[in-house]
Amino acid sequence: MWAPEAELTVVPIGDFTTEAGATIPDAFIAYQRWGTGDEIVLVEHALTGDSNVADWWGEALGPGKALDPERYTVVCTNVIGGCKGSVGPASPAPDASPYGSRFPAISIRDQVHAEKQFLDALGVDKVHAIIGGSMGGARTLEWCLLYPEFLDAACVIAVSARASAWQIGIQSAQISAIERDPAWHGGDYYTTGQSPKQGLAAARRIAHLTYRGELEVDERFGTSAQPGENPLGAYRSSDQRFAVDSYLDHQGDKLVQRFDAGSYVTLTDSLNRHDVGRGRGGLNKALASIAVPTMIVGVDTDILYPYHQQEHLSRNVGNLLGIAKITSPCGHDAFLTETRQMDRIIRSFLAMAASPGGAEYSI
């Protein structure tokens, strides 16, 4: 059933219809897996992540680690709409040209429905646990509501029950930066020989400030000038930068090298659409209906998804397995950077999932 270990493999899932009624014919999902244990653990990646858990969460994956491939089969898909193997805006449409602007809008629920079609295609009828952070946490929440019988337990990390107005605003600003790039061409740039690199880099600079902690950024850079440059000269110049400007430029350039702007717009829009209460009687009613044992994890310095949003989840989720707080100056990205804390949290979660009783857990 499974592809060779760690090998990126594409699985056809047939036609896929979004909750808004658009259809993607002959859709496909890419995935990677590690281990052959009896219990399947499904890991959900964040916005610009991918299926390679060993790359972005390697300290938690491996023999003797929290995600031990000798005990578990660890599976991670590339989200629909992405650009790392699954069908997305850059993929060929039925007419053989890239979808571009013709690629449908995708919601978090669509992401989960597509992943369920993928697992059905592989003959998987049950997973032991689902773990996800940020956008992956939103997917994990939706798994609990859409297919509660499919999983034994869930770990929801650094996300909220719905997008707040602030989150929609900051994310829409990122989309706007890409769409205002002249190379965007309404999303149909794939055959033009151009790419909205400047817009994508600007979007990443905006986003990265929400991924890191304010104190961490200030302690690292303060008001220092980039070496060899002078941002305090008589006239402002874009090539005379503060050190933090150089850092953000570097983060933007790195993303441009590995990610597609069309996918960035599609997936950021899906985060804007995130709302577990939609069509379910509101947030608290939807959360109260969750019967899956669920662990909630947050970061004390998270700007993008502040810890009070995880406290809200923990107060209202129907079957709370536990709550954990990551203490870090690194902000939202701490669930990726604080590897020792995350290893302990995942171990605790999987232990409680094996014998759920509910507990308050904090580090």
Side-chain angles (χ1 to χ4, degrees), residues 20 86 103 149 170 172 198 205 235 239 243 253 312 338 346:
S86 295
F103 194 78
E149 72 290 344
I170 202 76
S172 294
Q198 293 301 316
R205 288 195 291 271
Y235 298 94
D239 61 0
D253 291 342
H312 170 258
E338 298 289 351
I346 295 171

Side-chain angles (χ1 to χ4, degrees), residues 87-348:
V87 65
S91 303
D95 64 1
S97 62
Y99 274 104
S101 64
R102 297 174 295 167
F103 194 78
I106 299 293
S107 69
I108 300 295
R109 296 181 194 184
D110 290 328
Q111 295 173 7
V112 172
H113 285 309
E115 196 167 46
K116 179 62 163 58
Q117 283 188 211
F118 154 81
L119 291 167
D120 289 343
L122 289 184
V124 176
D125 57 11
K126 186 82 173 181
V127 301
H128 176 56
I130 301 181
I131 305 172
S134 196
M135 187 182 78
R139 293 164 71 188
T140 304
L141 267 178
E142 282 292 348
W143 264 108
C144 293
L145 289 157
L146 292 172
Y147 301 104
E149 72 290 344
F150 193 80
L151 62 156
D152 292 329
C155 185
V156 176
I157 306 167
V159 79
S160 57
R162 68 161 172 84
S164 69
W166 185 87
Q167 288 156 354
I168 293 171
I170 202 76
Q171 288 158 183
S172 294
Q174 295 166 47
I175 292 173
S176 179
I178 295 171
E179 293 180 334
R180 290 170 185 267
D181 189 318
W184 172 246
H185 292 289
D188 295 314
Y189 59 88
Y190 296 100
T191 59
T192 67
Q194 299 178 304
S195 177
K197 296 179 180 179
Q198 293 301 316
L200 179 58
R204 183 62 165 189
R205 288 195 291 271
I206 296 169
H208 199 74
L209 285 172
T210 72
Y211 297 158
R212 310 302 293 199
E214 184 267 337
L215 288 175
E216 180 217 11
V217 173
D218 192 56
E219 287 177 1
R220 288 178 64 182
F221 303 107
T223 59
S224 298
Q226 178 67 5
E229 300 180 21
N230 179 18
L232 301 178
Y235 298 94
R236 184 194 173 279
S237 174
S238 61
D239 61 0
Q240 301 297 310
R241 301 168 297 173
F242 290 97
V244 69
D245 294 326
S246 175
Y247 167 71
L248 293 173
D249 285 345
H250 174 66
Q251 295 300 324
D253 291 342
K254 280 203 315 182
L255 187 71
V256 165
Q257 297 303 314
R258 69 174 180 86
F259 212 78
D260 172 56
S263 284
Y264 195 95
V265 168
T266 295
L267 299 181
T268 301
D269 178 63
S270 73
L271 282 171
N272 283 351
R273 295 167 181 246
H274 172 52
D275 182 354
V276 299
R278 176 169 46 81
R280 295 172 176 144
L283 290 182
N284 292 347
K285 184 176 180 180
L287 292 172
S289 73
I290 292 178
V292 176
T294 302
M295 186 168 190
I296 307 298
V297 183
V299 183
D300 63 349
T301 54
D302 196 335
I303 298 170
L304 181 58
Y305 290 101
Y307 189 69
H308 70 80
Q309 294 181 337
Q310 290 85 62
E311 290 179 318
H312 170 258
L313 288 172
S314 70
R315 288 194 302 269
N316 290 282
V317 72
N319 190 351
L320 180 64
L321 190 60
I323 181 167
K325 180 189 289 185
I326 302 169
T327 301
S328 171
C330 293
H332 183 67
D333 273 356
F335 80 92
L336 297 171
T337 63
E338 298 289 351
T339 54
R340 291 180 62 186
Q341 292 187 60
M342 281 308 308
D343 184 84
R344 290 172 59 193
I345 289 169
I346 295 171
R347 286 179 190 275
S348 177

Side-chain angles (χ1 to χ4, degrees), residues 35-55:
T36 54
D38 293 336
E39 296 178 323
I40 297 172
V41 176
L42 185 63
V43 178
E44 307 282 20
H45 69 73
L47 173 67
T48 60
D50 55 32
S51 60
N52 191 2
V53 179
D55 180 50

Side-chain angles (χ1 to χ4, degrees), residues 75-96:
V75 177
C76 185
T77 68
N78 178 227
V79 69
I80 191 170
C83 56
K84 299 294 184 178
S86 295
V87 65
S91 303
D95 64 1

